[in-house]
Amino acid sequence: IAKVVLAGKANCPYYAKAELLADYLQANLPDFRVHKITQQPDKWEQWLHDICEMNGWEHRESPIIWRELLDRGGKGLLLGGIHDFLEYAQHYYGITSVMLNEEMLDIAEENLKAHIEIEKEAEEIKSLIKPLQIWITSASAPICYHLIPLLANGEVFGMTTEISIHLLDTDQFKEVLCGIVMEAEDMAFPLLRSVSEHTKINEAFIQADVIILLDDVLLNPEIQPLENSITEVSEICQVYAPLIEKNAKSEVRVISSGRTFVNLKAMMIMTYGPSIKPENVIAIATSWESAAKAMVSRKLNMNVAGVKNVIVWGNITGCNYIDLSHAKLYGYDCAIWGPADFPRPLLSMIYDSEWIQSEFLSAQSSLSSRVCHYVRMLPAHAVATVLRYWYHGSPPGEVVSVGILSKGQFCIPEGIVFSMPVRFQNGNWEVMTELEINEATQEVLGRLAHELTQ
């Protein structure tokens, strides 16, 4: 089989002549195939230069014609221009073209019009597929390297949803952002329409569907007082919130993540952006959930994926309480046997009650400290997991802890961002108020709410 590749300018009369001859050969010869590449006149010179440089050819005019060596591999065999192609057709097949100059010009004009129409149609179709616009602040943070692949592989937003990622940070991190952009582009994710870096704050959050806040503030009493750190968080949100109101879409979803002040960031975004829907702003507690589940699984020598419904209450990156009273175990190897989906209450399976009262509870401060030092895989996985739940629903019956604006649930004061159990369904979340809270837990929640308010 002879496969000939024919490339040229859309308005080139010689390309038109070669195209007509190639079409005739393909229609009348069973072993002849032609592939056409039509280029806009203003793009032709650069395209020709690139294809010749790649193949080591010398050719300076339109059209360029080569033969693909289908059964041999390697680069194609250059035939040349229009005259070379006419000689090739005459020599091998005894066929030539008798097209007149006027016909060539007419067909060249038609080719150009058709090419413009095809490109316009392709652009219109592409514009109908509107990618999800995702903005990430403080994008030079190490978490970004792990977060981008999780967002772009299709598992978070769906295998048919294209996304555009916008990385926002200050001028001093411009080189870091450019490096992340290059790496993300090199990974060639099919669903990643584009990835870009931004350092101009007034351009932030344009048409945003999702905003992920990764900003962290130094929390070291020896260097600066807590009040100064809180003021710094407030000032960041005072800049972000009006820009979100002005530039983002009305239904934008805002996720507060990071190692410090995630509740406060969520609260300040709502405070300084009163038109932002409070139900669209949440703080991530999944990292603490995951770390606590891992601690339990090590104690019970079981797969951590089988530990469910651990609840994180309170100030996620501050004073919080990890509640095991509703936790369940799946696939735990014990005296009681049942199907794979048969749950066992965690507290009934841990016979060492002293471990819960002493080691586990006392380890919570060190657990928080350890989680706050995670800067890559775990927090990236936490953000991706919550976003997936938000868009596609959380597993039926499973508890997810997130920081939300309290409306008085579980006797928690209204108007503070407090981590509590929710379920995600139909693109929204709802607090699992049906969970029963014992007196001891209620007392802890009151103390946490007071500390968080202060």
Side-chain angles (χ1 to χ4, degrees):
I1 293 177
K3 180 181 178 183
V4 170
V5 181
L6 172 63
K9 287 191 291 185
N11 64 345
C12 173
Y14 297 108
Y15 175 62
K17 187 170 185 175
E19 182 184 24
L20 199 66
L21 176 56
D23 286 344
Y24 180 85
L25 292 172
Q26 182 169 258
N28 291 277
L29 300 172
D31 293 334
F32 187 93
R33 298 289 181 271
V34 62
H35 174 66
K36 302 172 195 173
I37 302 173
T38 309
Q39 291 292 329
Q40 287 277 34
D42 59 339
K43 297 178 181 178
W44 168 252
E45 293 295 335
Q46 185 61 50
W47 184 90
L48 180 62
H49 174 271
D50 292 343
I51 197 73
C52 288
E53 185 175 293
M54 183 176 68
N55 290 282
W57 295 335
E58 285 288 338
H59 192 84
R60 301 183 182 279
E61 58 197 19
S62 170
I64 181 174
I65 303 157
W66 69 90
R67 183 179 173 186
E68 292 276 321
L69 305 177
L70 293 181
D71 54 351
R72 297 187 184 181
K75 67 180 182 182
L77 177 66
L78 179 66
L79 298 180
I82 179 62
H83 298 298
D84 303 294
F85 185 49
L86 291 174
E87 287 180 12
Y88 172 82
Q90 179 67 44
H91 178 72
Y92 280 94
Y93 308 112
I95 298 172
T96 190
S97 172
V98 291
M99 183 186 291
L100 300 175
N101 287 343
E102 287 184 7
E103 289 181 284
M104 290 164 55
L105 292 172
D106 289 342
I107 293 175
E109 189 177 343
E110 289 176 11
N111 278 348
L112 180 59
K113 288 180 180 177
H115 185 68
I116 291 172
E117 285 297 319
I118 290 169
E119 282 202 336
K120 184 179 177 182
E121 198 173 299
E123 285 298 320
E124 287 177 356
I125 291 171
K126 191 175 180 181
S127 69
L128 293 174
I129 307 171
K130 296 186 183 299
L132 211 62
Q133 303 293 329
I134 302 166
W135 284 77
I136 304 174
T137 68
S138 285
S140 63
I143 178 180
C144 242
Y145 285 96
H146 294 271
L147 183 56
I148 289 174
L150 295 175
L151 297 177
N153 67 11
E155 291 184 8
V156 173
F157 300 106
M159 300 305 293
T160 59
T161 302
E162 290 191 352
I163 65 171
S164 288
I165 296 177
H166 305 269
L167 308 176
L168 178 66
D169 216 316
T170 56
D171 275 324
Q172 71 183 99
F173 295 108
K174 187 175 179 65
E175 285 189 20
V176 177
L177 297 185
C178 289
I180 298 174
V181 168
M182 288 180 64
E183 283 195 59
E185 289 174 342
D186 289 346
M187 295 176 81
F189 290 104
L191 295 173
L192 183 58
R193 172 78 71 85
S194 65
V195 56
S196 56
E197 47 85 16
H198 303 266
T199 55
K200 295 179 180 178
I201 191 64
N202 60 319
E203 297 176 356
F205 314 129
I206 291 176
Q207 291 298 299
D209 293 290
V210 176
I211 297 171
I212 302 169
L213 304 176
L214 300 181
D215 305 79
D216 271 321
V217 171
L218 182 67
L219 189 58
N220 189 339
E222 296 178 3
I223 297 177
Q224 71 171 355
L226 179 63
E227 291 78 7
N228 290 10
S229 299
I230 292 173
T231 300
E232 195 174 334
V233 175
S234 180
E235 289 171 351
I236 291 170
C237 295
Q238 274 183 284
V239 174
Y240 285 166
L243 286 169
I244 294 172
E245 289 185 300
K246 177 184 175 184
N247 294 338
K249 293 178 183 174
S250 59
E251 294 293 327
V252 63
R253 300 178 183 189
V254 182
I255 282 187
S256 174
S257 183
R259 294 177 291 168
T260 58
F261 299 112
V262 295
N263 291 55
L264 182 62
K265 280 188 292 185
M267 186 72 234
M268 291 296 97
I269 289 295
M270 292 183 244
T271 301
Y272 296 121
S275 69
I276 301 171
K277 296 182 177 180
E279 62 270 22
N280 284 0
V281 182
I282 63 175
I284 297 290
T286 315
S287 296
W288 278 258
E289 272 187 18
S290 299
K293 290 174 181 177
M295 192 173 177
V296 169
S297 71
R298 284 191 289 269
K299 171 67 177 176
L300 295 174
N301 193 27
M302 65 173 291
N303 186 348
V304 67
V307 183
K308 305 290 186 183
N309 298 357
V310 172
I311 301 173
V312 178
W313 297 94
N315 187 1
I316 297 166
T317 48
C319 294
N320 59 46
Y321 171 59
I322 298 173
D323 182 5
L324 302 181
S325 62
H326 298 276
K328 295 178 181 179
L329 306 178
Y330 291 83
Y332 179 52
D333 186 12
C334 66
I336 303 172
W337 287 81
D341 59 350
F342 176 68
R344 300 166 179 82
L346 183 148
L347 295 182
S348 299
M349 295 296 105
I350 297 183
Y351 302 106
D352 185 2
S353 58
E354 288 188 10
W355 178 82
I356 297 172
Q357 297 301 322
S358 57
E359 188 176 335
F360 181 79
L361 293 178
S362 64
Q364 286 195 34
S365 58
S366 63
L367 186 67
S368 290
S369 175
R370 189 166 80 246
V371 171
C372 286
H373 282 85
Y374 294 145
V375 294
R376 295 179 185 270
M377 283 191 292
L378 182 58
H381 177 262
V383 171
T385 298
V386 170
L387 271 174
R388 185 173 74 250
Y389 290 167
W390 208 345
Y391 275 81
H392 301 291
S394 51
E398 193 165 319
V399 174
V400 184
S401 303
V402 294
I404 57 161
L405 188 67
S406 169
K407 293 184 177 179
Q409 302 96 332
F410 304 109
C411 299
I412 296 164
E414 292 186 33
I416 61 172
V417 172
F418 198 91
S419 180
M420 61 182 76
V422 305
R423 67 169 66 87
F424 289 92
Q425 57 186 12
N426 301 321
N428 300 302
W429 53 261
E430 61 178 0
V431 180
M432 301 180 72
T433 51
E434 71 274 16
L435 295 179
E436 295 184 6
I437 305 301
N438 59 39
E439 290 185 12
T441 301
Q442 195 67 66
E443 187 178 330
V444 172
L445 299 189
R447 188 177 72 250
L448 293 176
H450 176 73
E451 290 177 355
L452 185 54
T453 305
Q454 294 302 310

